[in-house]
Amino acid sequence: MATVLELQTMRAALVAARSTGTLRTVFNSGGTRREVEYKSDTEMAAAIAAIDREIATASGTKPRRFLPSFQDGF
């Protein structure tokens, strides 16, 4: 399993790629270079969520959720 620092680095690479619209990203962890191409933005978002869960598990915290609440007349 990757360290928290490696997971945070992978997450940062995914977020940076996603913000530019790129579906391909490169990870360097443990001396290994991996290049991953995602099929869609949804798949990339799922990968970010999975890494968030791994970070939370490794660091002993719960992932944060934002649940917006709206009233009539938004």
Side-chain angles (χ1 to χ4, degrees):
M1 184 171 185
T3 67
V4 173
L5 182 58
E6 290 171 336
L7 290 170
Q8 290 171 337
T9 302
M10 289 191 301
R11 185 186 188 284
L14 276 172
V15 170
R18 187 174 182 216
S19 68
T20 62
T22 303
L23 295 177
R24 180 178 292 182
T25 188
V26 177
F27 301 109
N28 294 306
S29 65
T32 304
R33 182 183 185 275
R34 290 188 313 143
E35 187 171 331
V36 180
E37 184 169 355
Y38 296 91
K39 295 178 185 175
S40 66
D41 181 66
T42 304
E43 187 177 350
M44 188 175 271
I48 292 170
I51 289 175
D52 285 342
R53 286 190 299 275
E54 286 186 49
I55 291 170
T57 300
S59 62
T61 61
K62 291 183 178 182
R64 296 181 195 160
R65 290 190 180 164
F66 173 70
L67 301 173
S69 176
F70 302 102
Q71 296 179 1
D72 289 335
F74 171 71

